[in-house]
């Protein structure tokens, strides 16, 4: 708000300190003519959309991730609402936000300017073209394209003929994820399948035979890595790439030579934040025992950023 006042002191700016919650969203939305959604998580998007439908307000929604951006105007001119297009939220582990996936700042600037333009057009009575089309921006190719949206659904839970969403609900429970723009923390594994960075440091100092598997993308490994880690990107594990699985099997066999072959060899999986590593553990747990032998797979909670924070302050954070 302070930055905006420096740009234009003739406009009234009202900052609200705190997260948008179901108990307050409808009261806030009803005070305004147009709402712009610039959030970065599924619970907030559903909350804002439902509040706009209940209050009868148009919603100018923008999103950006990596080198791509999208713009849609919901609940306007007979067009669909957010739930019309996305009746059910995606699985929490399938969602990537900017904190996890990254975004080029210029992309958010472009989408933000487009949002502002649509707000001005709606406010001035000119209307918007993006209540029936989604604008998609590809920064890498320098290309804009419009995709026609499905029409408003008669059976939509929010804006349909007989809506079931008549009040705002617990959207974090509905989406299975937190309403935050910060780095998400997934819980895909039971506690017994995870260890802390402190526990891993102890077994490392004790020279316990094991394999450390780093499942980050190559570009992140080039930034920083633990030198003794074997690097296989999560994508290759998901695709069951034979060459990668053979590489893992070879490392396991080499490490098993240091043991009496009577106990399960631990394989610890690490990534940046401890999310992708949990996905990798679930994949590795399903690999055939006759091929990989007796292997105990666990995830390292918090990943390499937890290592940098709690174990090695010189380890680069990114």
């Amino acid at each position: 708000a302070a930055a905006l006042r420096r740009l234009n002191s003739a406009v009234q700016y009202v900052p609200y300190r705190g997260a948008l919650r179901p108990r307050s969203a409808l009261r806030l939305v009803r005070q305004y003519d147009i709402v712009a959604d610039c959030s970065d998580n599924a619970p907030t998007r559903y909350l804002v959309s439902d509040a706009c439908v209940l209050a009868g307000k148009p919603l100018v929604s923008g999103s950006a991730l990596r080198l791509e951006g999208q713009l849609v105007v919901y609940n306007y001119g007979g067009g669909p609402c957010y739930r019309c297009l996305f009746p059910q939220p995606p699985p929490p582990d399938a969602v990537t936000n900017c904190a996890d996936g990254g975004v080029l700042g210029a992309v958010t600037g472009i989408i933000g300017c487009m949002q502002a333009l649509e707000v001005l057009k709606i406010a001035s009575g000119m209307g918007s073209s993006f209540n029936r089309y989604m604008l998609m921006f590809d920064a890498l190719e320098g290309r804009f394209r419009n995709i026609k949206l499905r029409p408003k659904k008669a059976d939509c839970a929010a804006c349909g003929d007989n809506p079931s969403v008549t009040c705002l609900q617990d959207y974090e429970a509905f989406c299975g994820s937190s309403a935050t723009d910060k780095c998400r923390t997934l819980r895909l594994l039971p506690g017994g399948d995870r260890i802390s960075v402190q526990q891993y440091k102890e077994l490392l100092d004790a020279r316990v035979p094991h394999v450390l598997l780093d499942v980050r993308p190559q570009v992140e490994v080039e930034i920083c890595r633990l030198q003794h880690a074997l690097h296989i990107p999560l994508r290759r594990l998901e695709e069951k790439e034979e060459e990668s699985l053979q590489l893992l099997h070879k490392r396991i066999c080499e490490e098993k030579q240091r043991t009496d072959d009577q106990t399960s060899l631990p394989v610890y999986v690490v990534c940046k934040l401890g999310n992708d590593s949990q996905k990798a553990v679930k994949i590795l747990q399903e690999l055939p025992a006759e091929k990989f032998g007796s292997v105990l797979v666990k995830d390292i909670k918090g990943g390499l950023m937890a290592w940098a924070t709690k174990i090695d302050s010189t380890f680069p954070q990114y």
Side-chain angles (χ1 to χ4, degrees), residues 19 64 67 123 132 152 264 297 306:
L67 292 168
R132 299 185 187 278
K152 179 177 178 178
S264 297
V297 189

Side-chain angles (χ1 to χ4, degrees), residues 1-2 14 45 82 86 105 107 149 190 200 223 256:
V14 184
R45 289 192 180 277
Y82 187 72
F86 308 103
V107 176
L149 298 176
Y200 180 70
I223 297 174
K256 271 196 170 185

Side-chain angles (χ1 to χ4, degrees), residues 265-297:
L265 181 78
V267 174
Y268 298 103
V269 188
V270 71
C271 63
K272 178 183 177 181
L273 300 168
N275 292 327
D276 284 350
S277 56
Q278 293 183 70
K279 299 178 187 178
V281 167
K282 296 184 75 172
I283 294 171
L284 295 177
Q285 288 175 337
E286 296 174 356
L287 291 176
E290 59 271 15
K291 181 174 182 180
F292 285 86
S294 181
V295 176
L296 180 65
V297 189

Side-chain angles (χ1 to χ4, degrees), residues 102-260:
V103 64
L104 191 61
V107 176
T108 59
I110 290 169
I111 297 300
C113 286
M114 296 291 292
Q115 275 186 276
L117 177 60
E118 293 310 300
V119 169
L120 292 172
K121 286 164 61 179
I122 294 171
S124 65
M126 297 173 63
S128 174
S129 300
F130 297 116
N131 60 323
R132 299 185 187 278
Y133 290 88
M134 174 185 289
L135 174 72
M136 300 190 69
F137 172 56
D138 183 337
L140 188 62
E141 298 292 334
R143 180 184 304 167
F144 289 92
R145 59 193 179 114
N146 290 351
I147 296 181
K148 189 173 182 178
L149 298 176
R150 294 192 298 267
K152 179 177 178 178
K153 294 178 63 177
D155 61 347
C156 175
C159 70
D161 297 337
N162 296 293
S164 59
V165 178
T166 56
C167 62
L168 301 180
Q169 56 188 265
D170 184 341
Y171 291 88
E172 291 186 332
F174 175 65
C175 296
S177 59
S178 300
T180 174
D181 294 354
K182 305 302 180 184
C183 294
R184 61 194 175 133
T185 301
L186 299 180
R187 292 179 178 84
L188 305 178
L189 299 172
D193 289 343
R194 312 188 73 190
I195 66 168
S196 67
V197 289
Q198 294 93 334
Q199 290 172 311
Y200 180 70
K201 180 64 163 59
E202 289 174 2
L203 69 89
L204 196 62
D205 291 342
R207 298 183 179 276
V208 176
H210 71 281
V211 171
L212 177 64
L213 179 62
D214 187 335
V215 297
R216 294 175 298 155
Q218 179 63 37
V219 65
E220 295 185 32
V221 174
E222 290 174 359
I223 297 174
C224 57
R225 63 177 298 177
L226 294 176
Q227 292 302 315
H228 63 285
L230 171 65
H231 174 232
I232 300 177
L234 174 62
R235 178 183 56 80
R236 295 183 183 177
L237 294 177
E238 291 174 331
E239 295 172 352
K240 302 291 196 301
E241 184 184 83
E242 188 62 29
E243 182 179 349
S244 296
L245 293 179
Q246 288 179 355
L247 183 63
L248 175 60
H249 181 252
K250 178 182 178 183
R251 178 64 70 88
I252 291 173
C253 291
E254 290 173 350
E255 200 64 26
K256 271 196 170 185
Q257 292 178 0
R258 297 177 53 197
T259 72
D260 56 9

